[in-house]
Amino acid sequence: MSLNTSALMTVLSLDIPAGSSIFKVHAVDKDTGSGGSVTYFLQNPHSTKFAMDRHSGVLRLQAGATLDYEKSRTHFVTVVAKDGGGRLRGADVVFSATTTVTVNVEDIQDTAPVFVGTPYYGYVYEDTLLGSEVLTVVAMDGDRGKPNPILYSLVNGSDGAFEINETSGVISLTQSPAQLRREVYALHVQVTEVSSAGSPAAQAMVPVTIRIVDLNNHPPTFYGESGPQNRFELSMCEHPPQGEILRGLKITVNDSDQGANAKFNLQLVGLSGIFRVVPQTILNEAQVTIIVENSAAIDFEKYKVLTFKLLAIEVNTPEKFSSTADVVIQLLDTNDNVPKFTSPYYIARIPENAPGGSNVVAVTAVDPDTGPWGEVKYSIYGTEADLFLIHPSTGLIYTQPWASLDAEATARYNFYVKAEDMDGRYSLAEVFVTVLDVNDHYPQFGKSIQEKTMVLGTPVKIEAIDQDAEEPNNLVDYSITHAEPANVFDINAHTGEIWLKNSIRSLDALHNITPSGDYTWSLEVQATDRGSPSFSTTALLKIDITDTETLSRGPMAAFLIHTKDNPMKAVGVLAGIMAIVVAITVLISTATFWRNKKSNKVLPVRRVFRKRPAPAPRNIRIEWLKSRKSKAATKFVLKDDPPNENCNNNTPEGSLPPQAPALPPPPRTAPTTVTAHWTVPTVSGSLDPQQPQQPSNPTALGSPVQPTLVSELKKRFEKKSADNKAYF
């Protein structure tokens, strides 16, 4: 099977109606029967505007489809022809053939003219000559296959200032630029097709904008009240209110050009952030306003004069013409500052022996304001400021004429000073004054003659107090200035401890070097301070030397030794004991009185004779004496000392008081009393520094007894012994 041609062509007009037959395709199949029947169809039926009759092979335009020359001038349609099929060599076979139909579209006059290069803008400058071309409008027939001639014309908007060439579309100027009254001209250009018969056909219209452009030959200019001006001056007080307008400045800026050439920006150069200028964009002319932006920065103490520039610069011109004007503001001072001290506190030192009216320290406060506002007045106040004065103008602090400083009484003073201006603005500073100690006190011992008791192996200590307030004036060193012999004692210069030299280890060794043969020494000691000049004081020190064996003899001995250096202590202890005894006696007497008073019986007066009790057996008396002696021994230990000039040794050694026999009848005459002398040991030296512990019961066994009580007890004991002897 074969088609009659492989490439078929046909030409159609645009006005062919839909469904019209365009072309008929014929295919020949030499087979007979059903194998020779042919069917036609399109290869791509969905992508074409054409349809194929499958039996006749007629190609038609689809219903609703149109051909457009301006969109597609040629269409290619592929047609497929198939036979009815049959068997070949035992298999079913279908043969087909294809061909391409080329459809050329012919153009007709159905499209209006079209403008090319829209939109259209033209410019007329000041130097444009009369009759000069402004711009050209271009249009063409929309039917490109057979275009018609086109004519141009101005419909409206030209006001006689422009004209257009009807064949070329050139718009030219018909008036001088100086005669043009409008900045922008909106023209409407119409184009018309001329048919082959010479009559007007389709038309189209397009707007054309023509701007009258001024030449940029004038820069912006600043004007004052009297004309052009490039310097403006103003006086104002510092710190004006935020947002205030500088009303003393009357500035106008103008650009004589027209249109875009007269548009410029206005800005402030220098002192950024302090002022703000409005407006910032100007067309032709405007009044300039300057507004305060940062009041705190307008400070007379920082700037006496504020100077900045106003800059006007064109925006849209290639020349960027500009001009400047200087603005000078003279600031006037106000009292806007507080006097401030150069330091928040001042530290001063003055010796305590400084006379009244002495200078202490000078304080300084600064007020940046000028004139009377910058004058500062000083004053002083505080609880510790009574001894000081301050000069109101110079700030010099000095002591009162009558002031007497004493570092030992008050070493530091603290008060405040005030700096104030004429409007009452003020600030404070703190002043610390240290009184320097001067060595004006001597070291002082407690007594000019001191008594100490030294136990062998234990040092004694002396102490002197220096009333000076600070070191080294109140530091004391000790020394032995005189001792006879000199090689017995050593002293610690810093602590005042005195001890025997290492070579002296017993009382016997000390007795051998003692001139008087006893154990009492007198030393001259000296206390010297470390001040400059140095002061010293001497004192006489009496030292009684004992050993631990002497201290262990008994409570009474220990008490007497302990209180030898401080006799008032012994007197106080004994007075306390006596007061307790008296109080107990009063209580007993009072109780007895009230007991007898409560009895209601009245007893007759009678004499009561009491029989003297029989004397106890001797052995009972001895036991009683032994028990009494054992109890008394805890209080007193009686020892026999060697005979000396101070002791009476009439009593035989080791004898006891005689026991009392049975009482005889009362003698007619008083018996003669024989007084027996007892030996009482003595203690040489004073007590050690430790305080004895006072018992709660003064009558308890082993408690200290007042020496007078001991003596009284001794006398009674001796008298009783004598009475017993008288019975024999």
Side-chain angles (χ1 to χ4, degrees):
M1 182 184 66
S2 62
L3 293 175
N4 55 358
T5 181
S6 60
L8 304 177
M9 180 177 295
T10 184
V11 178
L12 297 179
S13 176
L14 285 178
D15 56 356
I16 183 174
S20 299
S21 176
I22 298 174
F23 187 77
K24 182 177 181 181
V25 179
H26 179 70
V28 178
D29 190 337
K30 296 181 178 180
D31 293 326
T32 61
S34 61
S37 63
V38 178
T39 304
Y40 305 93
F41 59 91
L42 297 180
Q43 189 175 22
N44 297 310
H46 302 291
S47 60
T48 181
K49 296 182 179 182
F50 303 94
M52 173 65 67
D53 186 287
R54 57 184 302 181
H55 298 290
S56 63
V58 176
L59 183 67
R60 294 183 175 87
L61 186 65
Q62 288 184 3
T66 59
L67 300 178
D68 191 345
Y69 177 85
E70 285 71 32
K71 293 182 179 179
S72 179
R73 299 181 182 181
T74 303
H75 298 272
F76 298 96
V77 181
T78 301
V79 180
V80 179
K82 292 184 179 181
D83 61 11
R87 297 186 65 83
L88 177 66
R89 298 184 183 90
D92 293 332
V93 178
V94 177
F95 292 101
S96 64
T98 61
T99 187
T100 301
V101 179
T102 302
V103 180
N104 293 320
V105 181
E106 291 184 351
D107 192 16
I108 62 174
Q109 291 295 327
D110 61 347
T111 304
V114 177
F115 289 95
V116 180
T118 59
Y120 295 109
Y121 292 95
Y123 299 92
V124 175
Y125 299 93
E126 288 182 305
D127 57 349
T128 302
L129 300 177
L130 184 63
S132 299
E133 179 181 341
V134 177
L135 79 160
T136 300
V137 177
V138 177
M140 63 181 60
D141 191 352
D143 302 311
R144 306 291 179 84
K146 296 178 180 179
N148 290 326
I150 293 175
L151 298 178
Y152 300 93
S153 63
L154 289 177
V155 178
N156 55 26
S158 66
D159 293 341
F162 303 94
E163 64 180 4
I164 187 170
N165 188 298
E166 63 177 7
T167 57
S168 64
V170 175
I171 299 175
S172 58
L173 182 65
T174 59
Q175 293 181 0
S176 171
Q179 297 175 343
L180 300 179
R181 295 291 178 262
R182 288 190 294 173
E183 182 180 350
V184 178
Y185 287 85
L187 309 181
H188 288 84
V189 177
Q190 179 176 289
V191 61
T192 303
E193 293 183 11
V194 180
S195 65
S196 57
S199 61
Q203 295 179 339
M205 188 177 294
V206 67
V208 177
T209 303
I210 298 178
R211 292 183 177 274
I212 309 303
V213 180
D214 178 43
L215 290 179
N216 189 27
N217 54 5
H218 296 92
T221 305
F222 291 95
Y223 294 87
E225 294 180 335
S226 58
Q229 187 174 338
N230 58 5
R231 181 181 176 87
F232 300 87
E233 295 185 1
L234 173 68
S235 296
M236 61 180 294
C237 293
E238 61 177 336
H239 302 302
Q242 200 87 356
E244 181 174 321
I245 297 174
L246 303 187
R247 303 185 185 279
L249 293 177
K250 295 182 180 180
I251 306 174
T252 303
V253 62
N254 173 270
D255 191 329
S256 300
D257 291 324
Q258 300 296 322
N261 292 339
K263 186 178 181 180
F264 57 92
N265 287 338
L266 186 63
Q267 54 186 310
L268 188 150
V269 180
L271 301 180
S272 176
I274 298 179
F275 297 101
R276 177 168 55 92
V277 61
V278 292
Q280 296 183 353
T281 301
I282 301 173
L283 182 62
N284 291 119
E285 182 176 298
Q287 183 76 29
V288 179
T289 301
I290 299 176
I291 302 174
V292 175
E293 189 79 6
N294 185 0
S295 177
I298 306 175
D299 191 351
F300 178 82
E301 285 69 38
K302 295 181 180 179
Y303 312 101
K304 302 298 186 293
V305 179
L306 296 177
T307 302
F308 57 91
K309 291 181 179 292
L310 288 174
L311 171 64
I313 182 170
E314 294 177 345
V315 179
N316 298 322
T317 63
E319 295 82 6
K320 298 293 184 183
F321 288 138
S322 64
S323 62
T324 59
D326 294 325
V327 179
V328 180
I329 301 176
Q330 300 286 341
L331 292 183
L332 305 177
D333 191 20
T334 60
N335 189 20
D336 60 330
N337 290 282
V338 177
K340 291 185 179 180
F341 285 95
T342 56
S343 174
Y345 57 87
Y346 294 87
I347 299 175
R349 297 175 177 84
I350 183 172
E352 62 178 339
N353 61 352
S358 298
N359 295 339
V360 179
V361 65
V363 299
T364 303
V366 178
D367 192 330
D369 294 322
T370 59
W373 292 319
E375 296 178 1
V376 179
K377 181 181 179 182
Y378 299 95
S379 58
I380 187 173
Y381 68 94
T383 56
E384 299 180 3
D386 297 340
L387 295 181
F388 303 92
L389 296 173
I390 188 170
H391 193 280
S393 300
T394 63
L396 177 64
I397 299 175
Y398 54 95
T399 59
Q400 294 272 12
W402 46 265
S404 178
L405 302 177
D406 187 358
E408 291 72 37
T410 304
R412 291 175 178 81
Y413 294 90
N414 175 220
F415 50 87
Y416 293 89
V417 289
K418 178 180 181 181
E420 185 177 9
D421 63 14
M422 64 177 298
D423 283 346
R425 295 172 175 262
Y426 69 91
S427 62
L428 301 177
E430 197 167 3
V431 179
F432 300 90
V433 179
T434 300
V435 180
L436 301 178
D437 184 43
V438 176
N439 192 23
D440 56 351
H441 288 84
Y442 287 79
Q444 296 294 329
F445 288 100
K447 297 179 180 179
S448 60
I449 300 178
Q450 301 192 34
E451 296 183 1
K452 300 285 183 181
T453 297
M454 177 182 290
V455 179
L456 286 177
T458 304
V460 295
K461 184 177 181 180
I462 60 173
E463 185 177 8
I465 304 299
D466 194 314
Q467 297 296 332
D468 286 317
E470 299 177 359
E471 298 179 0
N473 296 334
N474 58 4
L475 298 179
V476 179
D477 293 329
Y478 302 92
S479 62
I480 299 174
T481 58
H482 181 71
E484 189 64 35
N487 296 325
V488 177
F489 298 97
D490 285 330
I491 188 171
N492 189 314
H494 301 300
T495 64
E497 291 184 344
I498 300 175
W499 61 88
L500 291 172
K501 289 186 176 293
N502 295 332
S503 59
I504 302 174
R505 299 184 178 180
S506 65
L507 291 178
D508 294 336
L510 184 65
H511 181 73
N512 294 334
I513 62 175
T514 304
S516 59
D518 58 12
Y519 306 115
T520 302
W521 293 74
S522 296
L523 305 178
E524 185 180 83
V525 293
Q526 178 176 279
T528 305
D529 63 25
R530 299 182 189 179
S532 180
S534 179
F535 296 111
S536 62
T537 303
T538 59
L540 183 62
L541 175 63
K542 293 182 179 181
I543 301 179
D544 289 342
I545 303 177
T546 185
D547 56 8
T548 56
E549 180 181 355
T550 302
L551 292 177
S552 63
R553 291 180 180 178
M556 179 59 67
F559 176 75
L560 294 175
I561 292 176
H562 276 291
T563 58
K564 184 174 182 181
D565 292 339
N566 191 2
M568 294 304 296
K569 179 179 179 182
V571 173
V573 173
L574 295 177
I577 296 174
M578 293 181 67
I580 294 174
V581 172
V582 171
I584 294 174
T585 303
V586 171
L587 290 175
I588 295 174
S589 300
T590 304
T592 303
F593 171 75
W594 285 106
R595 187 188 64 179
N596 294 334
K597 187 175 181 181
K598 290 180 180 180
S599 177
N600 295 327
K601 295 181 180 181
V602 179
L603 300 178
V605 178
R606 59 181 176 176
R607 296 181 66 183
V608 179
F609 295 94
R610 295 182 180 180
K611 186 178 180 179
R612 180 186 297 271
R618 184 177 181 85
N619 56 353
I620 298 175
R621 181 69 174 176
I622 292 174
E623 292 299 328
W624 178 82
L625 288 176
K626 287 181 179 180
S627 62
R628 187 70 177 268
K629 181 179 179 182
S630 63
K631 293 180 180 180
T634 60
K635 297 183 179 180
F636 307 100
V637 178
L638 304 180
K639 295 183 179 180
D640 293 336
D641 293 342
N644 56 61
E645 57 182 6
N646 296 325
C647 298
N648 192 345
N649 300 319
N650 294 332
T651 303
E653 181 178 357
S655 63
L656 294 174
Q659 297 180 359
L663 292 176
R668 296 179 180 178
T669 59
T672 305
T673 303
V674 179
T675 304
H677 297 279
W678 292 77
T679 302
V680 179
T682 60
V683 180
S684 176
S686 59
L687 297 178
D688 57 10
Q690 296 181 352
Q691 300 294 336
Q693 183 177 2
Q694 300 295 337
S696 61
N697 185 4
T699 61
L701 184 63
S703 62
V705 183
Q706 188 177 0
T708 56
L709 297 179
V710 176
S711 178
E712 182 67 21
L713 181 61
K714 178 181 176 184
K715 288 180 181 181
R716 291 182 180 181
F717 196 86
E718 292 174 352
K719 183 178 180 180
K720 192 171 185 179
S721 299
D723 291 342
N724 292 335
K725 290 180 181 180
Y727 291 129
F728 292 102

